[in-house]
Amino acid sequence: MKVLVPVKRVIDYNVKVRVKADQTGVELANVKMSMNPFDEISVEEAIRLKEAGTATEVIAVSLGAQQCQETIRTALAMGADRGIHVLHDGDLEPLAVAKMLKAVVDKEQPELVILGKQAIDDDANQTGQMLAALLGWGQATFASKIEMGDGEAKVTREIDGGLETISLKLPAIVTTDLRLNEPRYASLPNIMKAKKKPIDQYSPDDLGVDPAPRLETLKVEEPAKREAGVKVADVAELVSKLRTEAKVI
Amino acid sequence: MSVLVVAEHDNSEIAPATLNTVTAAAEIGGDITVLVAGSGSAAAADAAAKIAGVSKVLHADSAEYANGLAENVAPLVVALATGYSHVLAPATSFGKNVLPRAAALLDVQQISEISGVVDADTFVRPIYAGNAMATVKSSDAVKVITVRTTAFDAAASEGGSAAVEAADAKGDSGLTSYVGAELSSSERPELTSAKIVISGGRGMQNGENFAMLEEVADKLGAAVGASRAAVDAGFVPNDYQVGQTGKVVAPDLYIAVGISGAIQHLAGMKDSKVIVAINKDEEAPIFQVADYGLVADLFEAVPALSKELDG
């Protein structure tokens, strides 16, 4: 069974994001970039399926600028077998990404695609669901546990009220939530080995997809700032202020 | 203009998140239709008809909609979407699961988790965990949108008298089946709609200590939440998590106990009206957003708080 794992290059989650002065976006120059944390969880899950003998090959896919190859190399160093890079300079929206991933799925015929539930840059939370729709496959979003069976998968999902378990026919789409696993760090020998693993490159044109954005971003602003308030001396003062000043209890 | 709101419900009651979504629909303007897709869900459809501002309820009642599986609900939304200028759902685990699937089938680029309506085509949404706010304009024929429920007031659940019309079911996709759920049962209010929330972080040290917060919560009629650190450490279940990757809350009063205030947690609660932080580390970032900060050991402060509330 082949497993396809899309990975996105985003601003590292430890970086404090700054809005550009001209309000056209956020500052990306000289900012540390990394693999989207939810995608690291996807890569880890795919590698564990391979280690368990369920998956035979793990393919990491990334879409975007040339530097996305670094993100693919990270997945390869973790243990993915090979990479696919769809080169495109410019913004990509989830619908266009899902269409290009569908074309990659049509070529590679994986039985499982594991995606992060959302990317920490645009916070869209759409690509997995859209890919499932375009392929006509079942989807298990926000997964915290995956059990592979014969021609099907049982997935526990994190939902607002607790946990829900669904069963999916394969092939299928899974999107990962935080508690699915803890991603490994790549070892130095594996980082060296990853440099020799193959990465195929395509253009959106090769895949027959128009990547032009549908949404126009008019401006990007700083959120309203919250002012720090006062320190209270003790619990009695706190309760008194909540009662008489803030009037919330 | 006409807006289709995909209702979240449990077949008997309408989820509060649906009421916030109706308000967002009203800000866009035009007639509001609510879709209730369920099984044995007449009570939910009747409740939807009573929501103030709703002019019509479409009720698709069939076994395949019992558990809100996206593979079954999305084709129904797609079939009904023609004739509407906007399709809205709450940005809850239900709406986030279903709506992008419908959007892709409609060949529409969805706008996720809007926090503001500028005009019928233009919306504000948080990006980068709320560290930036983007204003985006859509040129798609149908706008498909999920709504950040804390950014819109709840519509009145009574006062409307919409007609309920039956909608044709579209059948079972056969792709997925529902196995079961483990839902947290609690007498306390739901986290996302509670007026007061008290949350614990890594400083709580273990799950048993959350009993202290529950005691205070019960005195205040509050919901209990947690930071990602506390959930990851296994102190409490995942559905307690407040933060960018958990639930976004905006209560009148948010009490953060033993929470340092990581960006990802702040993204989930910084729109609360009044924030209280109790932490023994006076350098903790949570104090930068707190209206009232108490530098104290929570194991002394929380029992004292409970006692003070009796007085």
Side-chain angles (χ1 to χ4, degrees), chain A residues 5 35-46 78 114 143 176-183, chain B residues 228:
Chain A
V5 190
M35 187 190 296
N36 177 41
F38 289 100
D39 301 345
E40 287 185 343
I41 297 172
S42 309
V43 174
E44 177 66 34
E45 195 65 17
M78 287 173 73
I114 312 179
T176 59
D177 218 318
L178 289 169
R179 280 161 287 274
L180 182 60
N181 61 49
E182 240 175 81
Chain B
R228 177 180 163 186

Side-chain angles (χ1 to χ4, degrees), chain A residues 56-96:
Chain A
T56 50
E57 190 182 29
V58 176
I59 307 162
V61 190
S62 193
L63 304 90
Q66 188 62 31
Q67 296 93 321
C68 289
Q69 296 225 353
E70 294 164 19
T71 312
I72 296 174
R73 291 285 169 208
T74 304
L76 298 176
M78 287 173 73
D81 297 294
R82 60 186 171 94
I84 294 174
H85 177 217
V86 182
L87 177 64
H88 177 70
D89 291 307
D91 288 341
L92 285 173
E93 289 173 347
L95 182 63

Side-chain angles (χ1 to χ4, degrees), chain A residues 124 126 139 141 160 165 226 245, chain B residues 71 97 112 180 247 272 292:
Chain A
Q126 299 176 9
Q139 66 185 51
T141 50
D160 290 336
T165 304
R226 236 193 134 93
E245 195 175 273
Chain B
E71 294 79 357
N97 188 41
S112 291
K247 294 195 173 100
S272 305
Y292 301 106

Side-chain angles (χ1 to χ4, degrees), chain A residues 4 7 17 29 37 60 71 84 102 111 138 140 163 167 216-217 235 239:
Chain A
L4 195 75
V7 292
V17 171
T71 312
I84 294 174
K102 179 187 182 288
E111 273 197 86
L163 298 170
S167 164
E216 185 190 352
T217 300
V235 167
V239 171

Side-chain angles (χ1 to χ4, degrees), chain A:
Chain A
M1 179 179 88
K2 272 193 208 177
V3 181
L4 195 75
V5 190
V7 292
K8 187 174 185 182
R9 181 174 182 265
V10 299
I11 293 182
D12 186 87
Y13 75 101
N14 282 315
V15 172
K16 172 93 178 93
V17 171
R18 287 184 202 290
V19 172
K20 283 187 190 169
D22 64 3
Q23 298 197 331
T24 56
V26 302
E27 199 53 71
L28 294 172
N30 301 315
V31 169
K32 186 186 176 196
M33 306 292 281
S34 299
M35 187 190 296
N36 177 41
F38 289 100
D39 301 345
E40 287 185 343
I41 297 172
S42 309
V43 174
E44 177 66 34
E45 195 65 17
I47 295 165
R48 288 187 191 187
L49 287 173
K50 194 182 171 198
E51 287 167 348
T54 313
T56 50
E57 190 182 29
V58 176
I59 307 162
V61 190
S62 193
L63 304 90
Q66 188 62 31
Q67 296 93 321
C68 289
Q69 296 225 353
E70 294 164 19
T71 312
I72 296 174
R73 291 285 169 208
T74 304
L76 298 176
M78 287 173 73
D81 297 294
R82 60 186 171 94
I84 294 174
H85 177 217
V86 182
L87 177 64
H88 177 70
D89 291 307
D91 288 341
L92 285 173
E93 289 173 347
L95 182 63
V97 170
K99 286 178 179 179
M100 288 191 264
L101 288 175
K102 179 187 182 288
V104 171
V105 168
D106 289 342
K107 275 181 199 290
E108 295 288 343
Q109 300 284 317
E111 273 197 86
L112 189 64
V113 183
I114 312 179
L115 306 91
K117 75 166 180 181
Q118 72 190 70
I120 62 167
D121 50 2
D122 62 10
D123 287 325
N125 197 331
Q126 299 176 9
T127 306
Q129 296 89 313
M130 288 184 152
L131 178 59
L134 298 176
L135 288 165
W137 292 6
Q139 66 185 51
T141 50
F142 326 141
S144 65
K145 191 178 172 193
I146 304 175
E147 295 165 89
M148 298 301 293
D150 191 18
E152 58 164 35
K154 208 161 104 177
V155 178
T156 303
R157 308 176 53 226
E158 297 199 0
I159 59 168
D160 290 336
L163 298 170
E164 175 186 277
T165 304
I166 61 172
S167 164
L168 303 107
K169 278 195 188 139
L170 296 180
I173 302 290
V174 173
T175 77
T176 59
D177 218 318
L178 289 169
R179 280 161 287 274
L180 182 60
N181 61 49
E182 240 175 81
R184 70 194 65 191
Y185 291 101
S187 67
L188 190 59
N190 285 344
I191 292 170
M192 300 310 289
K193 255 195 266 175
K195 292 186 178 166
K196 296 203 180 78
K197 291 181 180 174
I199 298 179
D200 291 334
Q201 196 171 65
Y202 300 105
S203 70
D205 214 30
D206 295 334
L207 302 175
V209 176
D210 174 9
R214 302 280 190 88
L215 302 178
E216 185 190 352
T217 300
L218 302 181
K219 62 179 171 181
V220 175
E221 299 164 285
E222 296 265 357
K225 280 240 176 353
R226 236 193 134 93
E227 299 291 318
V230 297
K231 291 264 169 55
V232 293
D234 53 31
V235 167
E237 188 189 348
L238 173 63
V239 171
S240 148
K241 283 214 185 306
L242 290 178
R243 280 194 175 130
T244 57
E245 195 175 273
K247 297 193 173 72
V248 284
I249 60 171

